[in-house]
Amino acid sequence: MRETMGRSALRLTLAGGICALGVRLWTDPGRSPNVYLLAGFLAVYLLGWGTLLAAARRRRSELAKGFAVTTAAGIACVLLLESLVFLRLLDFRVLFGTPAAQPWSHPGNLVDPTLLHLHRPHDEFVWDGVLYRYDRNGFRNRSEIRAADVVVVGDSFIEGWGVTAPDLMTARLSSDLGRPVANLGQSWYGPQQELEVLRLYGLPLHPRVVVWAFFEGNDLQDVDRYEEALPVWPELSRRNHSFALRSFTRNALYALRRFVQSHSEEDATGTLAYPSGVFHAANRDVRMYFEYKAHRLTPREEAALDRVGEILAEADRLCRRQGSRLLVVFVPSKDRVYKDRCRFAPDAEPLRWPRNDLPRRLEEVIHRRAPEAVYLDLTPGFLRRAARGEVLYFPRDTHWSPRGHAAAAEEIRSRAAAMRSAPWDDASSSRRSEARAAIRRAIPAGPGGPASNRSRFAAAATSSSCRTPKALSDSGGSPR
């Protein structure tokens, strides 16, 4: 009986180990990394036991019992942990710090049928040594702002990934102007969401100037991404906290994969897979990685640009109705600023990248759709600074460095200051007063003032109050 049990265990471990090894060899680690890793773990586990059982003939039955007990205990532990997930008592995305594939699937975000996602009120966390702290509306402001001369809407460039609060462009702009500036940037946001932010959170602050940051790297793609997500929002919202996303097995495998990569000198973020060149900074050589590939606008992007024009026209109409001015700022991607100043290998891909005329095209769209809006292209000023050897973007990331935030603030400051000090005619002043009164009537004065808009999120918000760093995405190491 004992010998039979030992032989059965031997056959089981060897057959199972060979099957797991076959699955690992057949699986593409790039497309199914968790399956690849799990198959490798099972192959090592089963073949290891099989080797022990084959080598220890006299103690085979005892080893078979040990194999059975160990395996049963492991399975029981996994089932226990997964049952806690099933009962919604645990979310292993939070415990393992798993980046989300999309921002609305992040356990620390509120979900909403219009904005899709937003940071939780008073959210606070540390990521890569940087403290991120948010106000009652889920935006990265150090204090609660109830009125601001300038509001800035945009994506992760404005939210400021990788940059401390005092180094943010909005903080520097506020210091330079000597007036309150509200940061209404939110990672992963596109033009449609930014228009909604302007309505809900920007205009209630009664700004004289609204700065709208347009990032060329993905804002046109964000137009389509939003339009595609909106019709299927109920399904996306449901999947936001599905068992599969919260499970122990999935998130443990991801954490193990990151651990292995970090200790084998592999690039855990994927940044090093992007094309790169060497830029001669003021006192050193810096290798710059380029995630966003320069290209000519596709027909789909042409259509998205026209849609952006419609959105900016609506934003300008809303601003003028309240007596505010709209300043649209073109944020160039890293390649537009640094590609021509980097040294590349002879066969490097960036050497073949075409240069499009998106800055001029956007300016034309704004002049046609929103002729009273002001346009500012940051490219010329950034090119001058790059010529002096300044590193305005993180070398391994798509976002501005602290120096980049300072440069953007300096470029915007003079334009915004001139717009703030421009004389307002009586009609504008009247519209401004009427708009303020209308906003006060439309937005109940609850404990949070405009923050009472949060009630819109109540039905969709998740029960999780924990958080982890936001998804790694538009960047080698930061979420967008």
Side-chain angles (χ1 to χ4, degrees):
M1 181 67 178
R2 291 182 177 179
E3 292 181 2
T4 301
M5 183 175 65
R7 285 195 296 270
S8 297
L10 176 60
R11 295 192 190 100
L12 177 63
T13 54
L14 292 178
I18 292 171
C19 289
L21 185 60
V23 171
R24 179 181 172 85
L25 295 175
W26 177 77
T27 301
D28 180 358
R31 299 183 62 181
S32 304
N34 282 352
V35 174
Y36 182 80
L37 186 61
L38 180 60
F41 172 78
L42 290 176
V44 171
Y45 178 78
L46 293 173
L47 291 177
W49 274 106
T51 302
L52 289 175
L53 289 166
R57 294 184 178 181
R58 295 182 180 180
R59 300 179 56 246
R60 184 173 293 169
S61 61
E62 296 179 10
L63 286 174
K65 290 179 182 178
F67 165 72
V69 170
T70 302
T71 303
I75 294 174
C77 287
V78 172
L79 290 176
L80 175 61
L81 293 172
E82 298 293 16
S83 67
L84 296 176
V85 175
F86 180 78
L87 295 172
R88 297 187 175 273
L89 298 176
L90 279 180
D91 187 338
F92 283 98
R93 294 175 298 180
V94 176
L95 296 182
F96 286 113
T98 304
Q102 297 286 355
W104 50 75
S105 65
H106 192 283
N109 282 345
L110 295 175
V111 291
D112 174 71
T114 303
L115 290 173
L116 302 187
H117 62 95
L118 187 66
H119 288 286
R120 290 181 177 277
H122 305 293
D123 202 0
E124 184 174 326
F125 59 94
V126 175
W127 174 250
D128 278 353
V130 176
L131 173 65
Y132 297 85
R133 182 179 290 129
Y134 297 82
D135 63 18
R136 69 183 188 277
N137 291 322
F139 295 99
R140 199 176 175 199
N141 294 296
R142 287 187 289 178
S143 59
E144 301 297 340
I145 300 177
R146 299 188 181 277
D149 273 33
V150 179
V151 301
V152 185
V153 299
D155 57 15
S156 52
F157 273 82
I158 303 306
E159 185 175 347
W161 281 98
V163 177
T164 61
D167 288 328
L168 290 173
M169 181 272 284
T170 48
R172 291 177 178 273
L173 186 60
S174 177
S175 176
D176 292 344
L177 293 174
R179 303 297 297 170
V181 175
N183 184 330
L184 300 184
Q186 193 86 186
S187 295
W188 292 74
Y189 271 18
Q192 297 98 319
Q193 293 149 300
E194 289 158 357
L195 180 61
E196 188 73 5
V197 165
L198 177 62
R199 283 195 183 106
L200 291 175
Y201 303 105
L203 295 179
L205 298 177
H206 317 303
R208 294 184 68 85
V209 177
V210 172
V211 178
W212 185 300
F214 176 91
F215 173 50
E216 72 162 319
N218 57 23
D219 271 12
L220 293 180
Q221 292 78 20
D222 285 343
V223 170
D224 287 337
R225 186 171 69 92
Y226 180 84
E227 298 292 349
E228 291 167 359
L230 206 57
V232 294
W233 172 247
E235 173 64 14
L236 291 176
S237 181
R238 184 189 65 80
R239 281 166 32 196
N240 178 46
H241 294 285
S242 66
F243 175 84
L245 289 179
R246 295 179 293 113
S247 74
F248 165 78
T249 305
R250 177 184 181 274
N251 290 284
L253 288 171
Y254 186 85
L256 179 60
R257 195 166 79 244
R258 284 192 300 167
F259 176 81
V260 171
Q261 289 172 334
S262 65
H263 285 74
S264 61
E265 298 186 354
E266 294 184 30
D267 177 32
T269 65
T271 304
L272 302 186
Y274 297 124
S276 66
V278 177
F279 170 67
H280 183 68
N283 55 2
R284 70 192 192 284
D285 283 346
V286 177
R287 181 163 291 278
M288 290 282 192
Y289 292 85
F290 301 98
E291 176 179 354
Y292 290 104
K293 178 180 179 180
H295 61 282
R296 294 186 178 89
L297 296 184
T298 65
R300 193 168 184 177
E301 289 171 330
E302 298 269 5
L305 181 59
D306 193 57
R307 177 74 177 111
V308 168
E310 295 175 2
I311 294 168
L312 292 176
E314 175 64 10
D316 185 52
R317 186 187 68 81
L318 292 173
C319 289
R320 286 188 290 108
R321 187 173 68 182
Q322 183 168 307
S324 304
R325 300 287 303 281
L326 177 64
L327 169 61
V328 181
V329 176
F330 179 86
V331 178
S333 60
K334 190 195 299 185
D335 72 278
R336 190 177 291 273
V337 177
Y338 287 101
K339 184 173 78 72
D340 293 341
R341 293 195 170 274
C342 284
R343 303 191 308 272
F344 295 96
D347 59 343
E349 181 184 350
L351 295 176
R352 301 188 296 274
W353 288 350
R355 178 65 51 79
N356 64 43
D357 59 347
L358 183 55
R360 180 185 63 81
R361 297 282 300 278
L362 179 63
E363 183 176 18
E364 291 176 350
V365 166
I366 293 170
H367 287 168
R368 185 173 68 252
R369 297 275 192 168
E372 294 191 42
V374 178
Y375 178 71
L376 172 63
D377 181 5
L378 293 181
T379 306
F382 275 35
L383 287 173
R384 289 193 296 271
R385 288 173 168 81
R388 297 198 294 264
E390 296 185 23
V391 179
L392 306 177
Y393 296 73
F394 289 114
R396 293 191 180 188
D397 190 75
T398 61
H399 296 92
W400 291 330
S401 66
R403 187 178 290 271
H405 277 264
E410 185 176 336
E411 295 288 326
I412 294 170
R413 178 190 61 204
S414 57
R415 193 68 58 93
M419 294 171 69
R420 280 184 61 253
S421 59
W424 299 89
D425 58 30
D426 292 339
S428 294
S429 299
S430 176
R431 287 196 304 269
R432 198 172 171 84
S433 299
E434 292 172 1
R436 288 184 179 182
I439 289 171
R440 291 191 187 101
R441 291 194 299 270
I443 301 177
S452 60
N453 287 316
R454 286 291 185 178
S455 61
R456 301 170 62 248
F457 298 97
T462 70
S463 59
S464 170
S465 60
C466 303
R467 71 150 303 103
T468 62
K470 296 294 188 252
L472 300 179
S473 67
D474 64 274
S475 57
S478 40
R480 163 86 173 71

CSV table of all heavy atoms in Angstrom, one decimal, residues 35 39 142 148 214 274 293 305 424 459:
chain,number,residue,atom,x,y,z
A,35,VAL,N,0.9,33.5,-16.5
A,35,VAL,CA,0.8,32.1,-16.8
A,35,VAL,C,2.2,31.5,-17.0
A,35,VAL,O,2.5,30.4,-16.5
A,35,VAL,CB,0.0,31.9,-18.2
A,35,VAL,CG1,0.1,30.4,-18.6
A,35,VAL,CG2,-1.4,32.3,-18.0
A,39,ALA,N,3.5,28.7,-14.4
A,39,ALA,CA,3.9,27.4,-15.0
A,39,ALA,C,5.3,27.1,-14.5
A,39,ALA,O,5.6,25.9,-14.2
A,39,ALA,CB,3.8,27.4,-16.5
A,142,ARG,N,-2.2,71.9,-2.1
A,142,ARG,CA,-1.7,71.8,-0.7
A,142,ARG,C,-2.7,72.4,0.3
A,142,ARG,O,-2.7,72.0,1.5
A,142,ARG,CB,-0.3,72.5,-0.5
A,142,ARG,CG,0.8,71.8,-1.2
A,142,ARG,CD,2.1,72.4,-0.8
A,142,ARG,NE,2.3,73.7,-1.5
A,142,ARG,CZ,3.4,74.5,-1.3
A,142,ARG,NH1,4.3,74.1,-0.5
A,142,ARG,NH2,3.5,75.6,-2.0
A,148,ALA,N,-9.6,81.4,-6.9
A,148,ALA,CA,-8.3,81.4,-7.5
A,148,ALA,C,-8.3,82.4,-8.7
A,148,ALA,O,-9.2,82.4,-9.5
A,148,ALA,CB,-7.9,80.0,-8.0
A,214,PHE,N,-2.5,71.2,-23.2
A,214,PHE,CA,-2.7,70.2,-24.2
A,214,PHE,C,-1.4,69.5,-24.4
A,214,PHE,O,-0.4,70.1,-24.9
A,214,PHE,CB,-3.2,70.8,-25.5
A,214,PHE,CG,-3.4,69.8,-26.6
A,214,PHE,CD1,-4.6,69.2,-26.8
A,214,PHE,CD2,-2.3,69.5,-27.4
A,214,PHE,CE1,-4.8,68.3,-27.8
A,214,PHE,CE2,-2.5,68.6,-28.5
A,214,PHE,CZ,-3.7,68.0,-28.7
A,274,TYR,N,12.4,51.5,-24.7
A,274,TYR,CA,12.1,52.6,-25.6
A,274,TYR,C,13.4,53.1,-26.3
A,274,TYR,O,14.5,53.0,-25.7
A,274,TYR,CB,11.5,53.7,-24.9
A,274,TYR,CG,10.1,53.4,-24.3
A,274,TYR,CD1,9.9,53.6,-22.9
A,274,TYR,CD2,9.1,52.9,-25.1
A,274,TYR,CE1,8.6,53.3,-22.4
A,274,TYR,CE2,7.9,52.6,-24.5
A,274,TYR,CZ,7.6,52.8,-23.2
A,274,TYR,OH,6.4,52.4,-22.7
A,293,LYS,N,6.4,58.1,-29.9
A,293,LYS,CA,7.1,58.1,-31.2
A,293,LYS,C,6.5,59.2,-32.1
A,293,LYS,O,5.3,59.3,-32.3
A,293,LYS,CB,6.8,56.8,-31.9
A,293,LYS,CG,7.4,56.6,-33.3
A,293,LYS,CD,7.1,55.3,-33.9
A,293,LYS,CE,7.7,55.1,-35.3
A,293,LYS,NZ,7.4,53.8,-35.8
A,305,LEU,N,-8.5,65.9,-33.6
A,305,LEU,CA,-8.1,67.3,-33.5
A,305,LEU,C,-9.3,68.3,-33.7
A,305,LEU,O,-9.4,69.3,-33.0
A,305,LEU,CB,-6.9,67.6,-34.5
A,305,LEU,CG,-6.4,69.1,-34.4
A,305,LEU,CD1,-5.8,69.4,-33.1
A,305,LEU,CD2,-5.3,69.2,-35.5
A,424,TRP,N,-11.2,95.0,-18.0
A,424,TRP,CA,-12.5,94.3,-18.3
A,424,TRP,C,-13.5,95.4,-18.5
A,424,TRP,O,-13.7,96.3,-17.7
A,424,TRP,CB,-12.8,93.5,-17.1
A,424,TRP,CG,-11.8,92.5,-16.7
A,424,TRP,CD1,-10.7,92.6,-15.9
A,424,TRP,CD2,-11.8,91.1,-17.2
A,424,TRP,NE1,-10.0,91.4,-15.9
A,424,TRP,CE2,-10.7,90.5,-16.7
A,424,TRP,CE3,-12.6,90.4,-18.1
A,424,TRP,CZ2,-10.3,89.2,-16.9
A,424,TRP,CZ3,-12.3,89.1,-18.3
A,424,TRP,CH2,-11.2,88.5,-17.8
A,459,ALA,N,-22.8,56.7,-5.9
A,459,ALA,CA,-23.3,55.4,-6.3
A,459,ALA,C,-22.2,54.5,-6.9
A,459,ALA,O,-22.3,53.3,-6.8
A,459,ALA,CB,-24.4,55.6,-7.3
